[in-house]
Amino acid sequence: MNQVKTFFQQYLSGYKPYKTYWNYEDGCVLKGCIDLYAATGDDEYRRFVLDYLNRYVAADGSIPNYELRQYNIDSINSGKALFFGLDETGDERYLKAIEFHMQRLKEHPRCACGNFWHKSIYPDQIWLDGLYMAQPFYMAYETRFGKLANAADITDQYANVRKYLFNEEKQLYYHACDTARIQPWANRETGCSANFWLRSMGWYVMSLIDCIDLCSEMLYEHYRLLIDLFREAVSGILRYQDESTGLFWQVIDHGHNPDNYLETSGSAMIAYALLKGMRLGVLNGEKYGPVSRRVFESLAEHKLTAGEDGLHLGDICAVAGLSDTRDGSVAYYLSEPRVNDDSKGVGPFMMAYAEYLRA
């Protein structure tokens, strides 16, 4: 596994922010570094996070490059790193920045059922992606500062996702649901998109295990709901695991399609969720240990390759969404470009490695 550590060192040394504004992609790498610092004690990871936060969080706790007008739930993701900044430095600006993010959630538009919209250009839509972006931050805030007054709001949103996006026959979750049932990609009866995209399921299981980690066991009903949903989702997705590699397909249930491929970011997310689930005692180690380790080891073996300019993590889906021009078909998901070293893949790969080390 020395090659994995070498890749992370190479990647972080040349890292450039994903966008000019506060964004979720950078947040994936920050979370990966926080987890690796917890697993290894290597100060390189701690410095990376604190240097990033120091650049983007002003002395008064404001974030000048936060995009307010989009009401984008993705923007909450990087806010998770602020708890680390506060704990490591005691600097009050990070507490102010946490409160700033919480205020964004309080103002965020919601569907009639109570779930957060994905963003202002996607009104009345629930995406699995958004659960990872917002709910662990929300749970961390409630646990530390909110006296758990809104724990039910968090778990109710998961219950709604189970109600509206879960397919009983496939035991999988659709990528998204248009609760208004007017989008061209939405089923007119259910509002759901047409297929099961791997990374969206990855976001979902990561969100659940992170919330379980943060939720107080004293909130028994809420805690049990999260665990039950997590175990069900894990059981469902493992039905579609590739036998030869242990990885997972870009369109989860279409492994037979010759154009489909074993996608890296979603597989890394599942590896992370499985490994962390075992560490927290949510999954049985004897049953899931070999499965979870195999996913990570297969990623390192098959997706981390050496080139003339160093190591690269490949087969990461660049982007996928739903809109007037993105219809959620199998052909659509398989048409999006595959790229190397995208933070949406590297960040979860870092998180999975941290859990692999801790296991």
Side-chain angles (χ1 to χ4, degrees), residues 11 15 18 23 25-26 28-29 316 341-348:
Y11 183 80
Y15 190 78
Y18 201 91
N23 64 87
E25 295 92 344
D26 287 351
C28 292
V29 176
I316 302 169
D341 305 334
D342 189 282
S343 59
K344 297 185 290 294
V346 177

Side-chain angles (χ1 to χ4, degrees), residues 8-27:
F8 292 148
Q9 291 172 331
Q10 167 196 307
Y11 183 80
L12 294 176
S13 67
Y15 190 78
K16 296 179 181 178
Y18 201 91
K19 295 171 181 170
T20 58
Y21 53 88
W22 189 252
N23 64 87
Y24 82 91
E25 295 92 344
D26 287 351

Side-chain angles (χ1 to χ4, degrees), residues 134 144 193:
R144 296 187 57 167
S193 53

Side-chain angles (χ1 to χ4, degrees), residues 152-268:
D153 184 26
I154 298 169
T155 54
D156 284 350
Q157 293 194 47
Y158 278 108
N160 284 334
V161 167
R162 174 61 173 78
K163 178 180 179 180
Y164 296 118
L165 279 77
F166 188 67
N167 181 294
E168 293 282 356
E169 178 187 357
K170 297 282 188 176
Q171 292 288 294
L172 294 170
Y173 284 81
Y174 292 105
H175 184 177
C177 176
D178 168 27
T179 62
R181 295 168 175 74
I182 60 174
Q183 297 301 320
W185 50 262
N187 181 289
R188 286 296 170 264
E189 293 184 7
T190 67
C192 290
S193 53
N195 285 287
F196 309 102
W197 178 43
L198 178 62
R199 190 156 71 221
S200 68
M201 278 288 292
W203 292 128
Y204 180 66
V205 293
M206 287 207 305
S207 75
L208 280 167
I209 199 61
D210 285 354
C211 280
I212 290 166
D213 188 20
L214 294 162
C215 184
S216 169
E217 294 183 37
M218 294 176 63
L219 297 171
Y220 182 76
E221 291 184 7
H222 303 293
Y223 187 70
R224 288 302 314 177
L225 173 65
L226 295 174
I227 289 176
D228 290 345
L229 291 174
F230 177 72
R231 288 174 175 166
E232 179 182 61
V234 164
S235 177
I237 202 165
L238 287 177
R239 294 168 57 179
Y240 303 92
Q241 189 175 25
D242 177 54
E243 291 184 6
S244 63
T245 64
L247 301 179
F248 298 87
W249 300 94
Q250 163 76 343
V251 182
I252 299 171
D253 60 331
H254 282 257
H256 58 278
N257 188 319
D259 295 325
N260 209 350
Y261 64 98
L262 297 167
E263 199 274 333
T264 296
S265 67
S267 294

